[in-house]
Amino acid sequence: MAPEKVVLPPFQALVDAHWRDVARLARALAGPVDGDDVAQRAWEKAFAAYPGLTSAKNLRSWLLTITARCATDLHRARKPQRPLDEAPPVAVEGPDAANWPDPDLWQAVNELPERQRFAITLKYVGDLDHHGVAAALDTTPAASRRLVSDALAVLRSKLGVNA
């Protein structure tokens, strides 16, 4: 028996439906300067992979996962490639919090460890559930919950917010 053929909407329909979500997540993860480049790279990767998809379920989550991975690639490319014991300390710049609404919150988000920062941004800016966050970060939903929970605890502590 032959496998069932997947019927995908035209790629332009996908772009029309989700371009704002991709752009918003890219800016949140990479900042206002690099966000457009990350979004563009995500669309390029999605376009290349689109014909090979085996399922048309949750295309939005698939796109946001690609966007998160493109942002991760950007951040990794900025880091030194030498072994840590040989490398001098280098500050890796993220989004400039002063350019965002509620700069204190975004400054605190920028100071989170990378995986916590990505998890909380995917959850609350990308509006992904823990399965979507887990897929984007290549981890489990339980680990996703823990990353988000830990990030929220750090943010509440830094901002003096009682839970």
Side-chain angles (χ1 to χ4, degrees):
M1 194 170 207
E4 188 176 319
K5 182 166 171 59
V6 175
V7 178
L8 297 170
F11 191 76
Q12 185 61 50
L14 190 69
V15 173
D16 292 343
H18 301 294
W19 73 269
R20 284 181 180 89
D21 295 332
V22 168
R24 184 177 60 207
L25 182 61
R27 281 183 59 97
L29 292 174
V33 174
D34 294 318
D36 290 341
D37 291 337
V38 166
Q40 179 65 34
R41 184 71 180 136
W43 284 115
E44 290 170 359
K45 287 185 174 239
F47 183 73
Y50 196 62
L53 285 181
T54 58
S55 173
K57 291 182 182 177
N58 209 351
L59 293 172
R60 179 180 178 272
S61 180
W62 174 73
L63 285 170
L64 295 181
T65 297
I66 292 171
T67 305
R69 290 182 177 162
C70 287
T72 299
D73 292 345
L74 173 78
H75 288 293
R76 285 182 180 155
R78 288 182 174 163
K79 291 184 180 180
Q81 299 300 313
R82 298 181 297 194
L84 291 178
D85 56 344
E86 297 175 18
V90 175
V92 178
E93 295 199 21
D96 181 4
N99 294 334
W100 292 78
D102 198 350
D104 293 338
L105 170 63
W106 283 103
Q107 182 60 42
V109 170
N110 278 340
E111 293 169 1
L112 290 170
E114 182 178 282
R115 290 192 46 91
Q116 285 182 6
R117 185 175 68 246
F118 274 46
I120 200 163
T121 304
L122 287 164
K123 176 75 175 137
Y124 293 107
V125 177
D127 197 28
L128 291 178
D129 61 12
H130 286 291
H131 290 282
V133 173
L137 296 178
D138 199 25
T139 189
T140 64
S144 163
R145 283 184 190 84
R146 186 64 195 194
L147 286 166
V148 170
S149 175
D150 289 350
L152 287 172
V154 170
L155 291 174
R156 285 183 183 119
S157 173
K158 282 187 178 185
L159 298 172
V161 176
N162 295 328

